[in-house]
């Protein structure tokens, strides 16, 4: 199974990252992303602040980000192998660099710590 990570609604500047599906479904990944946003709203999380700093971000980086739509997950199929199920994780283009850095360096590791290294599979090169 492959998971797509993309930025935006198929607009100019949209970037897609593809992942082999791990143990979590699209709905479960979406729930974990919601938990990350909740943790970001908790100013008492010094561990999260340290992770954000390590990624070159801080809580202020997310001001104005539409958190409901910034990172969304849905199921799909691979263009290379139509029988392969995929998940598409869309990252909003308005804050693309912030969301991309957050996804790779903070959100994804956050999910993997909570749900295991196999929560989402390995990243793949672009799909058609």
């Amino acid at each position: 199974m492959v998971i797509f990570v993309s930025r935006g609604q198929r607009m100019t500047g949209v970037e897609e990252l593809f992942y082999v599906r791990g143990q979590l479904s699209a709905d479960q990944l979406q729930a974990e992303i919601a938990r990350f946003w909740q943790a970001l709203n908790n100013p008492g999380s010094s561990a999260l602040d340290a992770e954000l700093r390590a990624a070159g971000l801080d809580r202020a980086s997310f001001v104005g980000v539409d958190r409901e739509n910034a990172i969304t997950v849905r199921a799909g199929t691979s263009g290379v192998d139509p029988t392969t199920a995929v998940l598409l994780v869309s990252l909003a283009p308005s804050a693309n660099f912030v969301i991309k850095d957050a996804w790779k360096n903070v959100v994804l590791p956050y999910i993997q710590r909570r749900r295991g290294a196999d929560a989402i599979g390995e990243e793949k090169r672009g799909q058609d």
Side-chain angles (χ1 to χ4, degrees):
M1 216 167 264
V2 177
I3 294 176
F4 297 99
V5 178
S6 74
R7 283 136 190 92
Q9 306 295 334
R10 302 271 182 214
M11 297 177 193
T12 303
V14 171
E15 179 182 350
E16 294 183 334
L17 304 175
F18 302 86
Y19 291 87
V20 173
R21 182 177 183 244
Q23 295 298 313
L24 299 184
S25 68
D27 289 341
Q28 290 170 316
L29 277 172
Q30 194 67 59
E32 289 300 318
I33 292 164
R35 283 184 189 92
F36 167 78
W37 291 125
Q38 289 172 347
L40 192 65
N41 287 336
N42 177 1
S45 178
S46 59
L48 182 56
D49 286 334
E51 290 177 58
L52 290 169
R53 275 193 306 277
L57 302 168
D58 59 24
R59 291 173 192 271
S61 302
F62 299 95
V63 170
V65 170
D66 176 5
R67 294 177 183 185
E68 185 174 328
N69 297 306
I71 304 174
T72 57
V73 182
R74 66 181 171 88
T77 57
S78 171
V80 173
D81 177 4
T83 63
T84 301
V86 297
L87 295 177
L88 172 60
V89 180
S90 299
L91 305 182
S94 61
N96 196 3
F97 73 95
V98 170
I99 298 301
K100 180 181 179 180
D101 288 347
W103 170 257
K104 289 263 193 178
N105 300 309
V106 184
V107 180
L108 184 55
Y110 173 88
I111 292 169
Q112 290 171 323
R113 273 193 313 281
R114 284 185 38 82
R115 299 299 293 265
D118 62 350
I120 188 169
E122 67 183 54
E123 184 175 350
K124 296 290 188 184
R125 295 287 176 209
Q127 303 284 318
D128 294 322

